Amino acid sequence: MPVPTSRTNECGRIKIDEIRCNGCGLCITVCKDCSISLENKKAKIAATPLFGCLACGHCMMICPQEAITVEGRCTSEEHMLDVPSSEEAASYEELLNLLYRRRSIREFKDIPVEKELINKVVEAAQTAPMGLPPSDVHLLIFDNREKVSAFAKDFCEYLEGFKWFVSKWFLALMRPFYGKEYTSFLKSFVRPCVKAFTGFMKRDINIVNYDAPVGLYFYGSPYIDPADPLIAATYAMLSAESLGLSTCFIGAIHPFIQNGKAAKRFREKYGIRYKSQGGIFLLMGYPDVKYKKTIKRSFAAVDWR
Ligand SMILES: Cc1cc2nc3c(=O)[nH]c(=O)nc-3n(C[C@H](O)[C@H](O)[C@H](O)COP(=O)(O)O)c2cc1C
């Protein structure tokens, strides 16, 4: 039975050229769906796969004989590329330097980001892994400052209707259902956020998305692993950095536009196709500030077992 996503409801179709197959078994090693088995020293389509081919393409990509093709689920032989050599790829030090150079930037130069660069970032983000192929990440691009700012204004107007959600009486009522930690998060972070977003916007100061030159909203369909849009956005963030652009995640929009009729209307207005468990905005543009130092950070815990 195929695993559905918003894009597909079929299994991948694996084709094996028996003449080319040399029975090395690499395709069987990498296929975790057990879609392929070895019979008489030849790879064959297995009768009882785990889910049905997800079209991850691993069997096709690893075959030294180019004897396998996978079609369907938005995958095809035509999508295969040569693997870049390790010399062409970034070294650990180069990558670490890029990571240390990155800062969340909220002060952007008022110059547009070239469409070519936006496309490059999108291409890089599309290399991100996903819970289940094919990716069910949806991307909404606001490609200039006017559009980004107009969205923030509209969002703040929409938020005005949301104030009851973080009001004293509502949080007191919901405390037994929300629990201590979530209630305190709503009180100490979300309530001031709503107040600040709407209050500042009334004075024409945009602290929702800081009038960035580009806004990228990554979200998913109801089928998706909620982590997928965040991982894709992280790839976008790092590739933008490598192109001399700066970025900032904005997590404070997505949760507000998920539930209820007003949220649905708001989503529809922007062509946002789904409410989604996971989603995030990424601002992008040329930085108008330069940091002198970077910073070493730590996780809450790193436990070795
Ligand atoms: C999931 C997530 C959500 C975030 N949401 C916001 C946000 O809504 N507004 C904002 O100004 N920064 C946001 N940030 C940026 C963080 O505030 C920032 O990463 C943090 O202050 C550390 O700074 P650095 O990224 O320069 O190391 C978010 C970051 C992440 C990872």
Side-chain angles (χ1 to χ4, degrees):
M1 191 181 156
V3 182
T5 77
S6 76
R7 304 169 78 183
T8 182
N9 194 7
E10 60 172 359
C11 290
R13 297 180 297 279
I14 306 169
K15 273 196 201 146
I16 303 168
D17 183 333
E18 272 198 28
I19 298 168
R20 285 188 169 198
C21 175
N22 64 4
C24 71
L26 281 171
C27 51
I28 297 158
T29 307
V30 296
C31 177
K32 303 309 173 199
D33 182 52
C34 309
S35 276
I36 308 175
S37 60
L38 205 61
E39 274 174 45
N40 302 323
K41 297 190 179 160
K42 294 281 178 187
K44 291 264 161 52
I45 308 294
T48 52
L50 217 53
F51 311 107
C53 173
L54 295 167
C56 69
H58 280 213
C59 57
M60 165 166 74
M61 291 186 279
I62 204 161
C63 178
Q65 298 293 104
E66 298 189 11
I68 303 182
T69 57
V70 180
E71 298 288 332
R73 291 183 74 85
C74 314
T75 303
S76 133
E77 191 185 0
E78 285 149 35
H79 298 150
M80 286 215 289
L81 305 169
D82 291 333
V83 180
S85 67
S86 57
E87 291 77 33
E88 288 170 293
S91 66
Y92 176 78
E93 282 72 24
E94 285 168 336
L95 182 60
L96 194 65
N97 285 339
L98 185 87
L99 299 176
Y100 271 129
R101 282 180 63 79
R102 184 204 63 79
R103 281 279 67 76
S104 290
I105 294 294
R106 303 171 182 90
E107 298 80 20
F108 295 100
K109 288 203 168 101
D110 188 12
I111 45 176
V113 175
E114 301 82 342
K115 199 168 177 197
E116 189 201 344
L117 292 194
I118 301 176
N119 281 329
K120 281 187 167 190
V121 168
V122 174
E123 181 182 352
Q126 288 180 137
T127 68
M130 69 291 295
L132 283 171
S135 170
D136 222 355
V137 171
H138 294 250
L139 173 58
L140 177 63
I141 303 176
F142 297 88
D143 62 0
N144 69 41
R145 190 172 201 161
E146 288 68 37
K147 292 179 195 170
V148 171
S149 303
F151 176 84
K153 254 197 180 125
D154 204 18
F155 177 68
C156 284
E157 270 171 38
Y158 163 79
L159 267 192
E160 292 286 350
F162 233 99
K163 284 186 170 162
W164 60 269
F165 178 73
V166 284
S167 64
K168 263 188 189 157
W169 66 266
F170 186 73
L171 291 190
L173 191 75
M174 296 306 283
R175 168 76 173 73
F177 307 100
Y178 285 167
K180 183 179 150 210
E181 290 85 0
Y182 187 52
T183 305
S184 116
F185 171 71
L186 290 172
K187 264 189 200 166
S188 66
F189 185 67
V190 180
R191 186 191 289 160
C193 243
V194 172
K195 198 173 161 209
F197 283 170
T198 52
F200 273 80
M201 193 54 92
K202 279 182 190 140
R203 292 188 275 137
D204 255 342
I205 304 168
N206 174 5
I207 59 162
V208 174
N209 58 28
Y210 304 97
D211 301 315
V214 175
L216 303 173
Y217 176 43
F218 294 82
Y219 67 99
S221 83
Y223 294 102
I224 203 172
D225 187 310
D228 284 5
L230 282 70
I231 295 168
T234 306
Y235 272 48
M237 170 180 255
L238 299 179
S239 62
E241 189 70 35
S242 76
L243 292 165
L245 294 162
S246 289
T247 56
C248 185
F249 278 134
I250 299 295
I253 298 172
H254 173 82
F256 286 113
I257 59 171
Q258 298 313 305
N259 298 312
K261 280 186 188 155
K264 187 165 185 267
R265 278 196 300 275
F266 187 85
R267 289 197 307 272
E268 280 169 359
K269 188 169 174 185
Y270 289 95
I272 299 167
R273 293 185 174 88
Y274 301 102
K275 69 186 257 184
S276 169
Q277 280 186 65
I280 197 148
F281 268 82
L282 183 68
L283 310 180
M284 194 166 81
Y286 292 102
D288 204 19
V289 288
K290 199 171 175 190
Y291 285 83
K292 277 182 80 173
K293 298 273 183 193
T294 186
I295 193 163
K296 204 157 191 161
R297 298 202 195 276
S298 58
F299 284 141
V302 180
D303 299 326
W304 296 64
R305 291 265 184 280

